[in-house]
Amino acid sequence: MADALETEALWEDFHRVVNMTSAELAAWLRVRDAHEDTEPLPEDAGTPTGQHVLAILQKRRTDLTDDDIRVMHEVVDTVGDLVDMEDEPEPETAAEDTGRRHRLMTLGHDPLKP
């Protein structure tokens, strides 16, 4: 029972910090990897973690694997370290730190999104 409760709490935490839809994240991963001379296939765009987050967003909670749960913990911890979820910076402040925003968006969190 504890595992089900832990998974439920993680699922909720993950979806709280991942505030981009699967379509938004997929589009961002494609844009992020597009270069002047080359562009990967859409299913290969983005970092492995970004691709895994995208895959998790397209799953039901009952279909999670142990690897999904590991990535969900990693994303929740990383976003939590980079963002104060209770006191998110104002958009004007966050826009100044483009690199930080892009790292977060690769994990599915857009700090400029309400």
Side-chain angles (χ1 to χ4, degrees):
M1 187 74 168
D3 285 337
L5 291 176
E6 288 174 17
T7 301
E8 175 70 25
L10 177 61
W11 179 263
E12 289 178 19
D13 286 346
F14 178 79
H15 283 86
R16 179 178 49 84
V17 301
V18 175
N19 64 357
M20 296 170 70
T21 65
S22 58
E24 290 169 332
L25 180 56
W28 168 250
L29 294 175
R30 285 192 304 273
V31 167
R32 177 87 171 153
D33 267 10
H35 300 285
E36 190 173 306
D37 299 325
T38 62
E39 185 172 337
L41 294 172
E43 63 272 5
D44 295 335
T47 65
T49 302
Q51 283 294 323
H52 204 142
V53 169
L54 183 58
I56 292 168
L57 287 175
Q58 297 168 342
K59 288 186 175 190
R60 296 176 301 171
R61 181 177 38 243
T62 56
D63 296 332
L64 295 175
T65 66
D66 289 341
D67 200 35
D68 294 336
I69 290 172
R70 178 190 58 76
V71 169
M72 289 169 71
H73 276 293
E74 185 179 306
V75 168
V76 168
D77 291 345
T78 301
V79 172
D81 289 345
L82 294 172
V83 176
D84 180 359
M85 296 301 292
E86 299 300 318
D87 191 27
E88 184 77 34
E90 293 297 317
E92 296 79 30
T93 304
E96 294 171 5
D97 191 353
T98 304
R100 174 182 163 273
R101 179 176 183 230
H102 289 179
R103 283 191 305 276
L104 287 166
M105 288 176 68
T106 299
L107 298 175
H109 178 81
D110 185 350
L112 299 184
K113 193 173 180 180

